């Protein structure tokens, strides 16, 4: 898990003073996302998000890597922040990351987007625990 990446995102977001600029920045992040539409399956669907979102993980050399897709660019941008921090982490590192670690980011988001961040983080914990148990 990369705390330095989380810190960079927190610093960037703290420099943004209005909601419109924040959403524009998050939308721009979504353009950097490479999505795999093949994960759009019922077993990868994430329930509870404001818009349709799919999420999965793989394990390579004891490191966890997530992939996702969503119908929303804002969701894609929010999840990109999360995955930039999580991808390449161990199961134990992922377990240590909590929603509280994202408080300086989430407090700038509307409630429904905070919920998306929480749901995806919870799903990351669930999938990492499941895949971690397979070896």
């Amino acid at each position: 898990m990369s705390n330095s990446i989380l810190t960079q995102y927190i610093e960037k977001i703290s420099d943004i003073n209005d909601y419109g600029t924040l959403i524009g920045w998050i939308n721009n992040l979504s353009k950097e996302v490479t999505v795999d539409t093949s994960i759009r399956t019922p077993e990868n669907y994430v329930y509870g998000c404001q818009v349709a979102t799919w999420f999965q993980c793989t394990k390579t050399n004891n490191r966890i890597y997530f992939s996702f897709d969503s119908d929303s660019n804002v969701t894609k941008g929010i999840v990109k922040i999360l995955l930039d921090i999580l991808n390449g982490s161990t199961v134990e590192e992922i377990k240590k990351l909590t929603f509280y670690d994202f408080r300086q980011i989430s407090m700038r988001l509307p409630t429904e987007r905070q919920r998306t961040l929480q749901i995806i983080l919870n799903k990351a914990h669930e999938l990492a625990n499941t895949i971690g148990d397979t070896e």
Side-chain angles (χ1 to χ4, degrees):
M1 174 181 66
S2 180
N3 285 328
S4 64
I5 294 174
L6 177 57
T7 300
Q8 289 173 10
Y9 277 120
I10 289 169
E11 288 171 357
K12 175 61 182 168
I13 286 178
S14 67
D15 290 339
I16 299 173
N17 295 319
D18 67 89
Y19 181 71
T21 303
L22 175 65
I23 293 303
W25 178 75
I26 290 172
N27 274 324
N28 284 336
L29 281 180
S30 74
K31 295 174 186 172
E32 300 173 19
V33 173
T34 303
V35 295
D36 177 4
T37 57
S38 70
I39 71 166
R40 287 184 173 225
T41 63
E43 58 271 3
N44 294 330
Y45 188 80
V46 180
Y47 293 92
C49 288
Q50 186 177 12
V51 296
T53 302
W54 297 264
F55 197 69
Q56 73 171 12
C57 75
T58 57
K59 186 176 183 180
T60 305
N61 297 325
N62 285 329
R63 300 285 173 177
I64 306 296
Y65 297 91
F66 298 94
S67 55
F68 77 100
D69 195 9
S70 177
D71 288 341
S72 163
N73 284 340
V74 174
T75 298
K76 286 179 185 177
I78 290 169
V79 176
K80 180 189 184 321
I81 293 170
L82 183 62
L83 297 192
D84 283 352
I85 295 158
L86 291 179
N87 274 338
S89 299
T90 65
V91 171
E92 290 306 314
E93 290 169 332
I94 292 169
K95 286 179 184 178
K96 290 178 185 175
L97 190 67
T98 68
F99 185 70
Y100 185 77
D101 296 314
F102 290 90
R103 69 192 173 282
Q104 292 175 321
I105 294 172
S106 65
M107 67 185 216
R108 295 182 168 263
L109 298 172
T111 303
E112 67 273 4
R113 300 305 182 175
Q114 291 176 21
R115 181 176 160 91
T116 296
L117 179 61
Q118 178 71 68
I119 289 168
I120 296 297
L121 181 58
N122 290 348
K123 189 68 172 178
H125 286 151
E126 174 191 326
L127 291 175
N129 282 329
T130 301
I131 204 166
D133 291 340
T134 61
E135 288 188 7

